[in-house]
């Protein structure tokens, strides 16, 4: 709370400072940089740490422009439309980034001195379709996959799956034994579908390009129908449990901790931020295997979705903003910021963060089957909420598999048109 109050006061002071100086953003050689992002993001401990380090070390100031999460995309886009761009913009590399015309507004960072210190997966996440680096990934990184209760599997003499067939057999055996094989939180949770779609498009960039040029649709891609059919079958066979349509975010931890559900498709940091501590099982009872959703036989992991610091290339304070990124990318500074944070490293020199034992134990499997986040970040018009809406119609018997895929297409194309995407 002290930090939150400090930065609120700091932001107000920065506004007064700019006003008194005629808006030139400098005084006695010091610079004020504007930083725009979601309120909840800006209050992450590692961001408040790096902000405070920067101001203390340089004497420069940061004016934080924050919007409530639900309002961020619309409010920030409205500011951009008026030409009121910040010096530094925080955003994930997802479909919503198209609102902000990245090619016209943000500096490409390919030649910055800190680029070689990025891990391969962090760097890959931040590349645009032409291979240019959009921003500095300064965020917690996770590995998404199928997290399973190894204690329960061991007690039943079962092993984790390595193929789609093995996973299907595992689910059926668990269901027959009285367990919910997969906790599928269909009430308001929307991320699961992208794990299945990632291999379809990450493994075939030309297919992704055709989809984004509106030359092909989901309905013409057999793997999308295959995934949809698998999810439909799993729900009908009870692999998600009998009340998964009423299962939401707050229910996942309890179902897993009590041992009612054995597996869920989620990310490692969740176990350190949201898993309950008063259940029969703890995070130590869980391990990691790939997600299987009938789109790749050996399964898949999704690399972390990362908040990027991007630079307004038309800013009058561009050089100072570049120096700010260099400050953030300095090992001494980012290690201080991420000290004790449970995250996969974004920087090769990152040493103070905590590495999840679940992830380190699955290191070889992850190296073989991990894909950069693709569906949510690179499909034009992709909306996780829209995909979940289409599947809700399927789950409730309002449409069939083909109808569900068509709804996914309809929603995606409509969103792409709203964004003004070329070809739609």
């Amino acid at each position: 709370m002290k930090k939150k109050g400090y930065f609120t006061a700091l932001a107000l002071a920065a506004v007064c400072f700019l006003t008194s100086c005629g808006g030139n953003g400098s005084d006695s050689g010091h610079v004020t940089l504007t930083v725009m992002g979601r309120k909840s993001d800006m209050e992450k401990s590692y961001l408040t740490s790096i902000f405070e380090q920067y101001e203390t070390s340089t004497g420069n100031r940061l004016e934080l422009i924050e919007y409530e999460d639900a309002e961020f995309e619309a409010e920030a886009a409205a500011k951009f439309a008026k030409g009121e761009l910040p010096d530094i913009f925080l955003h994930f590399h997802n479909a919503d980034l198209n609102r902000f015309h990245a090619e016209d507004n943000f500096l490409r960072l390919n030649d910055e001195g800190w680029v070689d210190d990025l891990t391969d997966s962090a760097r890959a996440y931040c590349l645009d379709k032409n291979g240019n680096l959009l921003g500095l990934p300064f965020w917690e990184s996770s590995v998404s996959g199928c997290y399973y209760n190894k204690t329960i599997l061991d007690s039943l003499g079962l092993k984790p799956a390595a193929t789609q067939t093995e996973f299907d057999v595992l689910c059926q055996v668990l269901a027959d034994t009285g367990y919910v094989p997969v906790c599928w939180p269909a009430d308001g949770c929307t991320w699961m579908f992208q794990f299945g779609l990632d291999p379809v498009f990450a493994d075939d960039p030309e297919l992704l390009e055709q989809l984004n040029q509106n030359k092909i649709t989901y309905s013409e891609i057999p793997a999308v129908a295959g995934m949809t059919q698998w999810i439909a079958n799993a729900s009908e066979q009870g692999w998600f449990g009998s009340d998964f349509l009423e299962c939401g975010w707050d229910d996942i931890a309890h179902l897993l901790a009590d041992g009612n559900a054995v597996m869920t498709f989620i990310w490692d940091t969740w176990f350190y931020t949201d898993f309950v501590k008063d259940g029969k099982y703890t995070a130590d009872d869980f391990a990691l295997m790939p997600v299987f959703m009938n789109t790749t036989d050996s399964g898949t992991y999704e690399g972390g979705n990362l908040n990027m610091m991007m630079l307004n290339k038309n800013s009058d304070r561009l050089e100072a903003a570049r120096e700010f990124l260099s400050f953030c990318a300095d090992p001494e500074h980012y290690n201080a910021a991420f000290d004790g944070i449970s995250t996969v490293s974004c920087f090769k020199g990152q040493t103070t963060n905590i590495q999840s034992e679940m992830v380190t134990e699955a290191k070889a499997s992850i190296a073989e089957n991990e894909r950069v986040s693709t569906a949510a970040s690179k499909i034009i018009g992709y909306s996780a909420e829209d995909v979940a809406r289409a599947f809700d119609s399927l789950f409730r018997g309002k449409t069939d598999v083909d109808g569900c895929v068509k709804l996914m297409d309809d929603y995606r194309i409509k969103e792409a048109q709203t964004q003004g995407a070329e070809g739609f």
Side-chain angles (χ1 to χ4, degrees):
M1 292 299 293
K2 289 182 179 179
K3 284 186 176 179
K4 180 179 179 181
Y6 168 77
F7 282 105
T8 301
L10 179 62
L12 291 173
V15 172
C16 294
F17 171 78
L18 285 170
T19 302
S20 64
C21 294
N24 61 16
S26 64
D27 181 46
S28 302
H30 292 153
V31 175
T32 295
L33 296 171
T34 54
V35 185
M36 182 183 290
R38 291 176 180 81
K39 186 173 185 293
S40 65
D41 291 350
M42 299 284 234
E43 293 174 355
K44 294 289 187 183
S45 62
Y46 39 86
L47 282 186
T48 58
S49 172
I50 200 67
F51 292 161
E52 187 171 0
Q53 288 183 65
Y54 173 75
E55 293 186 320
T56 301
S57 297
T58 66
N60 294 334
R61 295 291 178 261
L62 299 173
E63 178 188 347
L64 306 185
I65 305 169
E66 303 175 340
Y67 298 109
E68 295 292 343
D69 291 17
E71 303 168 357
F72 171 72
E73 299 294 347
E75 293 287 346
K79 288 292 186 182
F80 272 63
K82 295 177 183 177
E84 300 174 8
L85 279 65
D87 299 309
I88 301 149
F89 185 56
L90 272 66
H91 202 285
F92 291 86
H93 191 186
N94 55 29
D96 284 320
L97 186 59
N98 291 318
R99 298 170 181 243
F100 302 98
H101 306 290
E103 187 171 341
D104 296 328
N105 290 322
F106 302 124
L107 185 71
R108 295 302 183 262
L109 302 170
N110 305 333
D111 299 323
E112 298 302 299
W114 42 262
V115 172
D116 288 343
D117 190 35
L118 297 179
T119 62
D120 291 343
S121 60
R123 184 177 182 276
Y125 177 84
C126 299
L127 298 178
D128 66 13
K129 64 181 182 180
N130 297 315
N132 293 309
L133 190 66
L134 288 171
L136 172 70
F138 199 91
W139 199 244
E140 61 192 56
S141 183
S142 57
V143 175
S144 295
C146 179
Y147 288 83
Y148 66 94
N149 190 318
K150 61 185 179 181
T151 303
I152 290 178
L153 260 58
D154 288 345
S155 72
L156 297 172
L158 301 173
K159 296 181 179 180
T163 67
Q164 182 70 54
T165 298
E166 290 179 3
F167 186 75
D168 291 350
V169 170
L170 177 62
C171 286
Q172 191 58 56
V173 171
L174 288 171
D176 292 342
T177 310
Y179 289 99
V180 174
V182 180
C183 175
W184 185 281
D187 184 14
C189 298
T190 62
W191 63 81
M192 300 82 72
F193 308 100
Q194 68 197 52
F195 301 157
L197 290 172
D198 276 352
V200 179
F201 299 102
D203 296 354
D204 192 343
E206 290 186 10
L207 186 66
L208 175 64
E209 190 68 18
Q210 288 181 316
L211 187 74
N212 283 338
Q213 292 175 354
N214 204 24
K215 293 180 179 179
I216 195 171
T217 63
Y218 287 147
S219 296
E220 299 171 88
I221 302 172
V224 177
M227 181 192 82
T228 307
Q229 186 67 65
W230 183 88
I231 294 173
N233 292 345
S235 65
E236 292 168 1
Q237 292 168 4
W239 295 356
F240 301 158
S242 60
D243 57 353
F244 74 100
L245 290 175
E246 286 73 50
C247 179
W249 173 260
D250 293 333
D251 301 309
I252 308 170
H254 295 286
L255 286 168
L256 292 174
D258 293 342
N260 294 321
V262 180
M263 301 180 283
T264 196
F265 301 157
I266 207 158
W267 47 93
D268 59 300
T269 54
W270 176 85
F271 282 91
Y272 300 92
T273 58
D274 294 273
F275 195 63
V276 297
K277 302 182 185 301
D278 57 353
K280 181 179 180 180
Y281 299 99
T282 71
D284 293 336
D285 291 298
F286 287 83
L288 173 61
M289 64 176 158
V291 166
F292 294 94
M293 261 192 273
N294 201 35
T295 53
T296 178
D297 188 59
S298 57
T300 187
Y301 302 94
E302 184 190 49
N305 289 281
L306 306 173
N307 218 338
M308 304 181 295
M309 295 178 174
M310 296 179 287
L311 301 185
N312 171 11
K313 69 180 182 181
N314 300 309
S315 168
D316 293 336
R317 294 171 291 278
L318 179 58
E319 288 307 308
R322 289 179 64 187
E323 291 172 2
F324 170 74
L325 290 200
S326 294
F327 183 94
C328 294
D330 183 283
E332 179 182 352
H333 304 147
Y334 63 64
N335 274 314
F338 284 96
D339 187 16
I341 300 295
S342 177
T343 174
V344 175
S345 299
C346 286
F347 301 95
K348 295 175 182 175
Q350 206 164 346
T351 58
T352 58
N353 54 307
I354 300 170
Q355 294 278 0
S356 164
E357 186 174 330
M358 292 176 281
V359 171
T360 56
E361 288 180 348
K363 185 176 179 180
S365 177
I366 294 169
E368 185 175 354
N369 298 300
E370 184 182 36
R371 292 164 174 86
V372 65
S373 179
T374 301
S377 62
K378 298 184 179 180
I379 294 176
I380 293 174
Y382 185 90
S383 164
E385 289 73 19
D386 285 344
V387 175
R389 186 153 55 110
F391 272 91
D392 186 70
S393 294
L394 176 65
F395 292 143
R396 297 182 188 277
K398 297 178 181 179
T399 190
D400 58 11
V401 168
D402 289 341
C404 178
V405 177
K406 184 179 185 302
L407 283 174
M408 290 167 60
D409 270 326
D410 291 344
Y411 295 148
R412 176 183 56 84
I413 291 170
K414 183 177 180 181
E415 177 59 27
Q417 291 171 341
T418 299
Q419 296 176 8
E422 185 177 352
F424 290 87

